[in-house]
Amino acid sequence: MSAEPLPIAERLARQIAAGGPVSVAHFMGEANQHYYATRDPLGTAGDFTTAPEISQMFGELVGLCLADVWLRSARRPNALYVELGPGRGTLANDALRAMESAALAPRAHLVETSPVLRERQLALLPHVTHHDSVETLPDTGPLLVVANEFFDALPVRQCIRVGDEWRERVVIRRESEGRFLAVPGYRRIESGLPPIAAAAEDGAILETPIIGAGIAYALANRIARQGGAAIIIDYGYEGPALGDTLQAVRGHRFADPFADPGEVDLTTHVDFSVIGNMARQAGLRVLGPVGQGAFLERLGIDARAGQLIRATPGRAAEVEAARRRLVDEGEMGTLFKAMAWIHPDWAEPAGFSD
């Protein structure tokens, strides 16, 4: 009879007791792996809501954007729809339906490790193929890729300025209080810091998306070899920049990132400069980032909202509220940004310029 697995907090506490403090990246990775593997975190009953869950318009427009790129790129055969971190499969379902209206019916491949979310995705899209990583994606045709709120949940390395030196930020367990805390580590960081670090003040924090950069580079190399394009949508900034962006959400409210590991959603703001540079290194063209609101408006969200309202007048207020939430500056319109990666021989996607 197998023993019950240790709770994630107890497992982390034992790791720290046995080997000393763990990096913030390790803590975030362990906590989020457990979090996503054990629940569906989306919707009003969950911890947060993503753009595809707000309105079908989001997924439809993203799907049409990629279909348009394919149509203007000589309709290359055997195109594949790929989504990273597809949640419940809502975006994929809306995007694939819109693609079909444009005479494109690609096979769908979802990069997802959560067994709970895989089950939800299969209930909606029974013919998809799942992958644990981008490494196992087929090499049989061009890739039409979507990554919406994927990179923000990946572990980041945090460094902190202490006096005249930089150290990695680590997590300890304060037994007297029974809680985890982030503190400066003892090891001095001698290299690999951007120029912005030189003039930073004491206590400044620098985040490096090591895991995200690796995944971005691997994916970009696949597009460089196979053809295609990718649309990356997330909340973030163009770095390098200083600041602690690690945050936790539980029940649609902010929480302590170091309390209850594995029971809260941990994210950081995405450095679009880093992931964009990974694509450039692989030989792709990069567009953006541009605000999500501008991106969706250029793709025609106002016209699509009008169509939905005319088709179902009783939903007019609901459709308009969803449109505003997706595009307004005070909502998701500027905090969230969109970036495109394109194979050099492919057409540029709409939505990234007036």
Side-chain angles (χ1 to χ4, degrees), residues 315-332:
R315 294 181 56 214
E318 173 193 340
V319 172
E320 177 55 25
R323 188 202 64 80
R324 287 198 305 269
R325 188 170 177 188
L326 291 172
V327 305
D328 280 7
E329 288 189 11
E331 299 284 348
M332 301 175 73

Side-chain angles (χ1 to χ4, degrees), residues 31-97:
N32 270 359
Q33 182 179 32
H34 175 85
Y35 176 82
Y36 283 100
T38 54
R39 75 205 68 209
D40 175 356
L42 295 158
T44 56
D47 292 324
F48 58 89
T49 300
T50 59
E53 304 294 333
I54 293 170
S55 172
Q56 70 188 73
M57 296 184 288
F58 183 84
E60 289 171 345
L61 292 173
V62 170
L64 288 173
C65 179
L66 288 173
D68 177 63
V69 172
W70 174 78
L71 286 167
R72 291 186 291 110
S73 301
R75 302 186 180 218
R76 312 295 173 97
N78 304 317
L80 306 172
Y81 175 86
V82 175
E83 188 172 340
L84 279 58
R88 292 172 170 171
T90 305
L91 193 162
N93 187 48
D94 293 334
L96 289 166
R97 184 180 64 253

Side-chain angles (χ1 to χ4, degrees), residues 27-230:
F27 181 91
M28 186 179 176
E30 291 276 299
N32 270 359
Q33 182 179 32
H34 175 85
Y35 176 82
Y36 283 100
T38 54
R39 75 205 68 209
D40 175 356
L42 295 158
T44 56
D47 292 324
F48 58 89
T49 300
T50 59
E53 304 294 333
I54 293 170
S55 172
Q56 70 188 73
M57 296 184 288
F58 183 84
E60 289 171 345
L61 292 173
V62 170
L64 288 173
C65 179
L66 288 173
D68 177 63
V69 172
W70 174 78
L71 286 167
R72 291 186 291 110
S73 301
R75 302 186 180 218
R76 312 295 173 97
N78 304 317
L80 306 172
Y81 175 86
V82 175
E83 188 172 340
L84 279 58
R88 292 172 170 171
T90 305
L91 193 162
N93 187 48
D94 293 334
L96 289 166
R97 184 180 64 253
M99 286 176 163
E100 190 172 359
S101 72
L104 173 61
R107 296 193 175 218
H109 293 262
L110 307 183
V111 178
E112 177 63 74
T113 59
S114 166
V116 175
L117 291 175
R118 280 190 176 192
E119 186 176 339
R120 294 296 300 266
Q121 293 154 16
L122 286 170
L124 190 62
L125 299 161
H127 301 298
V128 302
T129 301
H130 280 113
H131 300 266
D132 289 331
S133 75
V134 300
E135 305 293 347
T136 60
L137 291 171
D139 58 3
T140 53
L143 306 179
L144 302 174
V145 183
V146 181
N148 179 64
E149 291 199 55
F150 170 77
F151 285 98
D152 66 283
L154 299 176
V156 301
R157 181 193 195 196
Q158 285 192 332
C159 300
I160 185 168
R161 183 73 178 249
V162 180
D164 62 352
E165 62 187 35
W166 284 90
R167 301 180 191 174
E168 183 160 12
R169 201 174 184 216
V170 298
V171 179
I172 64 171
R173 170 82 169 176
R174 184 163 290 171
E175 295 298 337
S176 61
E177 301 175 17
R179 64 193 185 105
F180 297 97
L181 295 172
V183 300
Y186 293 110
R187 183 175 300 174
R188 180 173 181 168
I189 298 171
E190 304 284 355
S191 61
L193 297 171
I196 194 174
E201 297 181 355
D202 187 53
I205 289 176
L206 177 69
E207 296 177 341
T208 306
I210 297 173
I211 302 297
I215 294 173
Y217 188 63
L219 177 63
N221 272 288
R222 296 297 295 270
I223 296 173
R225 292 198 303 269
Q226 296 173 224

